[in-house]
Amino acid sequence: MNELTIAMPKGRIFEEAYQMLLEAGFNLPEEVEMSRKLMIEIPEEKIRFILSKPMDVPVYVEHGVADIGIAGKDVLLEQQREVHELLDLKISNCYIASAGLPHTEMNEIAPRIATKYPNIAMKYYKGIGEQVEIIELNGSIELAPMIGLADRIVDIVSTGRTLKENGLVEYELISAVSSRLIANPVSYRMKGERIIDLVRRLKKCVNEQ
Ligand SMILES: Nc1ncnc2c1ncn2[C@@H]1O[C@H](COP(=O)(O)OP(=O)(O)OP(=O)(O)O)[C@@H](O)[C@H]1O
Ligand SMILES: O=P(O)(O)OC[C@H]1O[C@H](OP(=O)(O)OP(=O)(O)O)[C@H](O)[C@@H]1O
């Protein structure tokens, strides 16, 4: 049996993704003690997990240092990497939307859009014929309209609480987001049997509603 290296995102997605692997019948420890360890070997299953920032999962998979990985659709849309998207796991569901202060028009000349997703935002506004200036931020995006840095933000919405608590309203829905199983194209060919088995087992655990 080939060894499989799986890039797992630390943070929000990890817990749900790991539970899915347990449910799919992989012989893994019931609880992963969250230490500072970034690589976890499971010799019984010939699986090795590498734990990375969510945005870096497709990088490891594209470079082939991980055979497969779990990444949010937001990250995949933003980065457009050479990876195969194998399965929608339908976990960590949320969406990307534009938002801003209520009852405000966008500045007519070069409206400013603050976001962690410059490519998604640029593509969206280009698609609706708006020429915008993108201001790239790494977090606390909702601050931008409040303090006059931007007309709109493009960001993840899950419960809507962050928008509400910062007095912002949603304008346009840009894309639904869930986590996806991705594979390196060469690994997919070389370790096809193992990867297809994993997909088949995970597919049974996807919550369809
Ligand atoms: N409310 C949410 N906010 C952000 N991401 C969410 C949310 N709900 C689900 N997700 C998914 O989780 C992923 C981000 O996970 P997480 O929040 O742990 O990382 P992060 O905070 O963006 O990254 P970093 O650790 O680099 O700051 C996103 O790519 C998205 O697919
Ligand atoms: O709709 P909600 O349930 O409120 O979730 C959405 C918020 O969660 C994320 O932020 P995160 O917690 O990752 O913080 P940061 O991006 O500001 O660092 C996202 O960027 C939104 O701000």
Side-chain angles (χ1 to χ4, degrees), residues 9 13 54-55 57-58 70-78 85 91-92 94 117 177-182:
I13 301 176
M55 285 273 193
V57 166
I70 294 175
K73 185 67 183 176
D74 51 327
V75 172
L76 298 173
L77 288 171
E78 179 62 24
E85 195 181 306
I91 55 172
S92 299
C94 51
Y117 301 99
V177 169
S178 55
S179 298
R180 311 296 162 105
L181 184 72
I182 56 171

PDB file of all heavy atoms in Angstrom, residues 9 13 54-55 57-58 70-78 85 91-92 94 117 177-182:
ATOM      1  N   PRO A   9      -5.835  21.613   6.818  1.00  0.00           N
ATOM      2  CA  PRO A   9      -5.781  22.991   7.285  1.00  0.00           C
ATOM      3  C   PRO A   9      -5.978  23.047   8.798  1.00  0.00           C
ATOM      4  O   PRO A   9      -6.886  22.405   9.326  1.00  0.00           O
ATOM      5  CB  PRO A   9      -6.963  23.642   6.571  1.00  0.00           C
ATOM      6  CG  PRO A   9      -7.894  22.523   6.265  1.00  0.00           C
ATOM      7  CD  PRO A   9      -7.122  21.248   6.220  1.00  0.00           C
ATOM      8  N   ILE A  13     -11.467  24.396   9.800  1.00  0.00           N
ATOM      9  CA  ILE A  13     -11.851  23.223   9.003  1.00  0.00           C
ATOM     10  C   ILE A  13     -11.384  21.918   9.646  1.00  0.00           C
ATOM     11  O   ILE A  13     -12.005  20.875   9.468  1.00  0.00           O
ATOM     12  CB  ILE A  13     -11.284  23.335   7.561  1.00  0.00           C
ATOM     13  CG1 ILE A  13     -11.807  24.596   6.875  1.00  0.00           C
ATOM     14  CG2 ILE A  13     -11.620  22.118   6.724  1.00  0.00           C
ATOM     15  CD1 ILE A  13     -11.222  24.855   5.486  1.00  0.00           C
ATOM     16  N   PRO A  54      -4.668  27.307   6.234  1.00  0.00           N
ATOM     17  CA  PRO A  54      -5.632  26.955   5.177  1.00  0.00           C
ATOM     18  C   PRO A  54      -5.219  27.434   3.782  1.00  0.00           C
ATOM     19  O   PRO A  54      -5.369  26.720   2.803  1.00  0.00           O
ATOM     20  CB  PRO A  54      -6.923  27.639   5.632  1.00  0.00           C
ATOM     21  CG  PRO A  54      -6.766  27.827   7.107  1.00  0.00           C
ATOM     22  CD  PRO A  54      -5.300  27.945   7.391  1.00  0.00           C
ATOM     23  N   MET A  55      -4.655  28.632   3.711  1.00  0.00           N
ATOM     24  CA  MET A  55      -4.257  29.202   2.410  1.00  0.00           C
ATOM     25  C   MET A  55      -3.083  28.441   1.783  1.00  0.00           C
ATOM     26  O   MET A  55      -2.827  28.573   0.582  1.00  0.00           O
ATOM     27  CB  MET A  55      -3.838  30.672   2.561  1.00  0.00           C
ATOM     28  CG  MET A  55      -4.991  31.615   2.753  1.00  0.00           C
ATOM     29  SD  MET A  55      -5.655  32.145   1.144  1.00  0.00           S
ATOM     30  CE  MET A  55      -6.693  33.502   1.645  1.00  0.00           C
ATOM     31  N   VAL A  57      -2.591  25.019   1.917  1.00  0.00           N
ATOM     32  CA  VAL A  57      -2.879  23.622   1.535  1.00  0.00           C
ATOM     33  C   VAL A  57      -2.690  23.386   0.022  1.00  0.00           C
ATOM     34  O   VAL A  57      -1.974  22.471  -0.388  1.00  0.00           O
ATOM     35  CB  VAL A  57      -4.284  23.173   2.015  1.00  0.00           C
ATOM     36  CG1 VAL A  57      -4.712  21.876   1.350  1.00  0.00           C
ATOM     37  CG2 VAL A  57      -4.301  23.019   3.533  1.00  0.00           C
ATOM     38  N   PRO A  58      -3.287  24.234  -0.840  1.00  0.00           N
ATOM     39  CA  PRO A  58      -3.099  23.985  -2.287  1.00  0.00           C
ATOM     40  C   PRO A  58      -1.642  24.114  -2.737  1.00  0.00           C
ATOM     41  O   PRO A  58      -1.259  23.516  -3.737  1.00  0.00           O
ATOM     42  CB  PRO A  58      -3.975  25.052  -2.951  1.00  0.00           C
ATOM     43  CG  PRO A  58      -4.934  25.483  -1.901  1.00  0.00           C
ATOM     44  CD  PRO A  58      -4.209  25.363  -0.602  1.00  0.00           C
ATOM     45  N   ILE A  70      -7.166  19.175   1.993  1.00  0.00           N
ATOM     46  CA  ILE A  70      -8.529  19.693   2.167  1.00  0.00           C
ATOM     47  C   ILE A  70      -8.436  21.214   2.197  1.00  0.00           C
ATOM     48  O   ILE A  70      -7.693  21.792   2.990  1.00  0.00           O
ATOM     49  CB  ILE A  70      -9.178  19.099   3.433  1.00  0.00           C
ATOM     50  CG1 ILE A  70      -9.377  17.585   3.223  1.00  0.00           C
ATOM     51  CG2 ILE A  70     -10.512  19.802   3.741  1.00  0.00           C
ATOM     52  CD1 ILE A  70      -9.883  16.821   4.406  1.00  0.00           C
ATOM     53  N   ALA A  71      -9.185  21.838   1.289  1.00  0.00           N
ATOM     54  CA  ALA A  71      -9.094  23.299   1.163  1.00  0.00           C
ATOM     55  C   ALA A  71     -10.467  23.898   0.932  1.00  0.00           C
ATOM     56  O   ALA A  71     -11.327  23.284   0.291  1.00  0.00           O
ATOM     57  CB  ALA A  71      -8.191  23.653  -0.016  1.00  0.00           C
ATOM     58  N   GLY A  72     -10.659  25.094   1.437  1.00  0.00           N
ATOM     59  CA  GLY A  72     -11.920  25.818   1.220  1.00  0.00           C
ATOM     60  C   GLY A  72     -12.016  26.230  -0.255  1.00  0.00           C
ATOM     61  O   GLY A  72     -11.004  26.542  -0.888  1.00  0.00           O
ATOM     62  N   LYS A  73     -13.232  26.238  -0.778  1.00  0.00           N
ATOM     63  CA  LYS A  73     -13.435  26.662  -2.171  1.00  0.00           C
ATOM     64  C   LYS A  73     -12.962  28.110  -2.352  1.00  0.00           C
ATOM     65  O   LYS A  73     -12.503  28.492  -3.438  1.00  0.00           O
ATOM     66  CB  LYS A  73     -14.923  26.527  -2.541  1.00  0.00           C
ATOM     67  CG  LYS A  73     -15.235  26.813  -3.989  1.00  0.00           C
ATOM     68  CD  LYS A  73     -14.652  25.777  -4.939  1.00  0.00           C
ATOM     69  CE  LYS A  73     -14.906  26.113  -6.386  1.00  0.00           C
ATOM     70  NZ  LYS A  73     -14.267  25.170  -7.314  1.00  0.00           N
ATOM     71  N   ASP A  74     -13.071  28.914  -1.298  1.00  0.00           N
ATOM     72  CA  ASP A  74     -12.593  30.304  -1.361  1.00  0.00           C
ATOM     73  C   ASP A  74     -11.114  30.350  -1.737  1.00  0.00           C
ATOM     74  O   ASP A  74     -10.686  31.107  -2.605  1.00  0.00           O
ATOM     75  CB  ASP A  74     -12.846  31.036  -0.029  1.00  0.00           C
ATOM     76  CG  ASP A  74     -12.329  30.272   1.182  1.00  0.00           C
ATOM     77  OD1 ASP A  74     -12.358  29.024   1.158  1.00  0.00           O
ATOM     78  OD2 ASP A  74     -11.886  30.902   2.165  1.00  0.00           O
ATOM     79  N   VAL A  75     -10.338  29.478  -1.081  1.00  0.00           N
ATOM     80  CA  VAL A  75      -8.893  29.445  -1.314  1.00  0.00           C
ATOM     81  C   VAL A  75      -8.612  28.946  -2.738  1.00  0.00           C
ATOM     82  O   VAL A  75      -7.747  29.481  -3.440  1.00  0.00           O
ATOM     83  CB  VAL A  75      -8.229  28.523  -0.250  1.00  0.00           C
ATOM     84  CG1 VAL A  75      -6.773  28.283  -0.559  1.00  0.00           C
ATOM     85  CG2 VAL A  75      -8.399  29.124   1.141  1.00  0.00           C
ATOM     86  N   LEU A  76      -9.389  27.958  -3.187  1.00  0.00           N
ATOM     87  CA  LEU A  76      -9.174  27.406  -4.538  1.00  0.00           C
ATOM     88  C   LEU A  76      -9.526  28.435  -5.615  1.00  0.00           C
ATOM     89  O   LEU A  76      -8.811  28.591  -6.601  1.00  0.00           O
ATOM     90  CB  LEU A  76     -10.000  26.127  -4.729  1.00  0.00           C
ATOM     91  CG  LEU A  76      -9.627  24.985  -3.769  1.00  0.00           C
ATOM     92  CD1 LEU A  76     -10.609  23.828  -3.915  1.00  0.00           C
ATOM     93  CD2 LEU A  76      -8.204  24.502  -4.026  1.00  0.00           C
ATOM     94  N   LEU A  77     -10.618  29.172  -5.393  1.00  0.00           N
ATOM     95  CA  LEU A  77     -11.008  30.199  -6.370  1.00  0.00           C
ATOM     96  C   LEU A  77      -9.971  31.323  -6.408  1.00  0.00           C
ATOM     97  O   LEU A  77      -9.663  31.869  -7.456  1.00  0.00           O
ATOM     98  CB  LEU A  77     -12.371  30.793  -6.002  1.00  0.00           C
ATOM     99  CG  LEU A  77     -13.600  29.910  -6.205  1.00  0.00           C
ATOM    100  CD1 LEU A  77     -14.838  30.562  -5.588  1.00  0.00           C
ATOM    101  CD2 LEU A  77     -13.825  29.659  -7.696  1.00  0.00           C
ATOM    102  N   GLU A  78      -9.439  31.644  -5.253  1.00  0.00           N
ATOM    103  CA  GLU A  78      -8.476  32.741  -5.185  1.00  0.00           C
ATOM    104  C   GLU A  78      -7.158  32.376  -5.864  1.00  0.00           C
ATOM    105  O   GLU A  78      -6.554  33.187  -6.545  1.00  0.00           O
ATOM    106  CB  GLU A  78      -8.237  33.116  -3.714  1.00  0.00           C
ATOM    107  CG  GLU A  78      -7.242  34.224  -3.458  1.00  0.00           C
ATOM    108  CD  GLU A  78      -7.645  35.573  -4.073  1.00  0.00           C
ATOM    109  OE1 GLU A  78      -8.841  35.802  -4.300  1.00  0.00           O
ATOM    110  OE2 GLU A  78      -6.731  36.381  -4.343  1.00  0.00           O
ATOM    111  N   GLU A  85      -9.770  18.845  -8.228  1.00  0.00           N
ATOM    112  CA  GLU A  85     -10.765  18.930  -7.156  1.00  0.00           C
ATOM    113  C   GLU A  85     -11.592  17.651  -7.234  1.00  0.00           C
ATOM    114  O   GLU A  85     -12.260  17.395  -8.224  1.00  0.00           O
ATOM    115  CB  GLU A  85     -11.629  20.172  -7.410  1.00  0.00           C
ATOM    116  CG  GLU A  85     -12.422  20.554  -6.197  1.00  0.00           C
ATOM    117  CD  GLU A  85     -13.296  21.766  -6.460  1.00  0.00           C
ATOM    118  OE1 GLU A  85     -12.790  22.815  -6.908  1.00  0.00           O
ATOM    119  OE2 GLU A  85     -14.506  21.650  -6.213  1.00  0.00           O
ATOM    120  N   ILE A  91     -18.488  20.614   4.139  1.00  0.00           N
ATOM    121  CA  ILE A  91     -18.241  21.031   5.524  1.00  0.00           C
ATOM    122  C   ILE A  91     -17.698  22.458   5.511  1.00  0.00           C
ATOM    123  O   ILE A  91     -17.290  22.955   4.467  1.00  0.00           O
ATOM    124  CB  ILE A  91     -17.246  20.084   6.261  1.00  0.00           C
ATOM    125  CG1 ILE A  91     -15.937  19.969   5.477  1.00  0.00           C
ATOM    126  CG2 ILE A  91     -17.880  18.718   6.506  1.00  0.00           C
ATOM    127  CD1 ILE A  91     -14.835  19.222   6.218  1.00  0.00           C
ATOM    128  N   SER A  92     -17.684  23.077   6.695  1.00  0.00           N
ATOM    129  CA  SER A  92     -17.229  24.469   6.836  1.00  0.00           C
ATOM    130  C   SER A  92     -17.899  25.361   5.790  1.00  0.00           C
ATOM    131  O   SER A  92     -17.248  26.138   5.090  1.00  0.00           O
ATOM    132  CB  SER A  92     -15.706  24.564   6.722  1.00  0.00           C
ATOM    133  OG  SER A  92     -15.106  23.833   7.736  1.00  0.00           O
ATOM    134  N   CYS A  94     -19.907  28.270   4.114  1.00  0.00           N
ATOM    135  CA  CYS A  94     -20.065  29.719   4.302  1.00  0.00           C
ATOM    136  C   CYS A  94     -20.179  30.319   2.904  1.00  0.00           C
ATOM    137  O   CYS A  94     -20.380  29.562   1.953  1.00  0.00           O
ATOM    138  CB  CYS A  94     -18.873  30.300   5.070  1.00  0.00           C
ATOM    139  SG  CYS A  94     -17.260  29.871   4.403  1.00  0.00           S
ATOM    140  N   TYR A 117      -9.215  38.527  -0.476  1.00  0.00           N
ATOM    141  CA  TYR A 117      -9.357  37.746  -1.717  1.00  0.00           C
ATOM    142  C   TYR A 117      -9.260  38.657  -2.942  1.00  0.00           C
ATOM    143  O   TYR A 117     -10.261  38.872  -3.651  1.00  0.00           O
ATOM    144  CB  TYR A 117     -10.714  37.032  -1.727  1.00  0.00           C
ATOM    145  CG  TYR A 117     -10.918  36.088  -0.566  1.00  0.00           C
ATOM    146  CD1 TYR A 117     -11.657  36.475   0.554  1.00  0.00           C
ATOM    147  CD2 TYR A 117     -10.373  34.805  -0.598  1.00  0.00           C
ATOM    148  CE1 TYR A 117     -11.851  35.601   1.624  1.00  0.00           C
ATOM    149  CE2 TYR A 117     -10.560  33.929   0.477  1.00  0.00           C
ATOM    150  CZ  TYR A 117     -11.294  34.331   1.574  1.00  0.00           C
ATOM    151  OH  TYR A 117     -11.479  33.470   2.629  1.00  0.00           O
ATOM    152  N   VAL A 177     -19.315  28.679  -0.508  1.00  0.00           N
ATOM    153  CA  VAL A 177     -18.020  28.083  -0.145  1.00  0.00           C
ATOM    154  C   VAL A 177     -18.234  26.852   0.732  1.00  0.00           C
ATOM    155  O   VAL A 177     -19.066  26.872   1.643  1.00  0.00           O
ATOM    156  CB  VAL A 177     -17.146  29.118   0.631  1.00  0.00           C
ATOM    157  CG1 VAL A 177     -15.919  28.459   1.254  1.00  0.00           C
ATOM    158  CG2 VAL A 177     -16.725  30.271  -0.271  1.00  0.00           C
ATOM    159  N   SER A 178     -17.493  25.796   0.408  1.00  0.00           N
ATOM    160  CA  SER A 178     -17.426  24.636   1.304  1.00  0.00           C
ATOM    161  C   SER A 178     -16.035  24.042   1.122  1.00  0.00           C
ATOM    162  O   SER A 178     -15.297  24.465   0.227  1.00  0.00           O
ATOM    163  CB  SER A 178     -18.519  23.621   0.952  1.00  0.00           C
ATOM    164  OG  SER A 178     -18.405  23.274  -0.406  1.00  0.00           O
ATOM    165  N   SER A 179     -15.688  23.057   1.936  1.00  0.00           N
ATOM    166  CA  SER A 179     -14.337  22.491   1.811  1.00  0.00           C
ATOM    167  C   SER A 179     -14.302  21.379   0.777  1.00  0.00           C
ATOM    168  O   SER A 179     -15.249  20.605   0.664  1.00  0.00           O
ATOM    169  CB  SER A 179     -13.869  21.947   3.159  1.00  0.00           C
ATOM    170  OG  SER A 179     -13.800  22.990   4.079  1.00  0.00           O
ATOM    171  N   ARG A 180     -13.207  21.323   0.063  1.00  0.00           N
ATOM    172  CA  ARG A 180     -13.057  20.347  -1.033  1.00  0.00           C
ATOM    173  C   ARG A 180     -11.842  19.462  -0.800  1.00  0.00           C
ATOM    174  O   ARG A 180     -10.827  19.911  -0.248  1.00  0.00           O
ATOM    175  CB  ARG A 180     -12.855  21.075  -2.378  1.00  0.00           C
ATOM    176  CG  ARG A 180     -13.864  22.176  -2.654  1.00  0.00           C
ATOM    177  CD  ARG A 180     -15.274  21.615  -2.780  1.00  0.00           C
ATOM    178  NE  ARG A 180     -16.285  22.638  -2.632  1.00  0.00           N
ATOM    179  CZ  ARG A 180     -16.987  23.140  -3.642  1.00  0.00           C
ATOM    180  NH1 ARG A 180     -16.761  22.744  -4.873  1.00  0.00           N
ATOM    181  NH2 ARG A 180     -17.924  24.044  -3.401  1.00  0.00           N
ATOM    182  N   LEU A 181     -11.953  18.229  -1.275  1.00  0.00           N
ATOM    183  CA  LEU A 181     -10.804  17.327  -1.286  1.00  0.00           C
ATOM    184  C   LEU A 181     -10.078  17.562  -2.601  1.00  0.00           C
ATOM    185  O   LEU A 181     -10.687  17.483  -3.670  1.00  0.00           O
ATOM    186  CB  LEU A 181     -11.291  15.877  -1.192  1.00  0.00           C
ATOM    187  CG  LEU A 181     -10.193  14.830  -1.086  1.00  0.00           C
ATOM    188  CD1 LEU A 181      -9.531  14.880   0.299  1.00  0.00           C
ATOM    189  CD2 LEU A 181     -10.740  13.433  -1.340  1.00  0.00           C
ATOM    190  N   ILE A 182      -8.787  17.853  -2.508  1.00  0.00           N
ATOM    191  CA  ILE A 182      -8.015  18.113  -3.734  1.00  0.00           C
ATOM    192  C   ILE A 182      -6.846  17.132  -3.823  1.00  0.00           C
ATOM    193  O   ILE A 182      -6.408  16.587  -2.809  1.00  0.00           O
ATOM    194  CB  ILE A 182      -7.485  19.568  -3.793  1.00  0.00           C
ATOM    195  CG1 ILE A 182      -6.626  19.915  -2.555  1.00  0.00           C
ATOM    196  CG2 ILE A 182      -8.633  20.547  -3.927  1.00  0.00           C
ATOM    197  CD1 ILE A 182      -5.895  21.253  -2.674  1.00  0.00           C
TER     198      ILE A 182
END
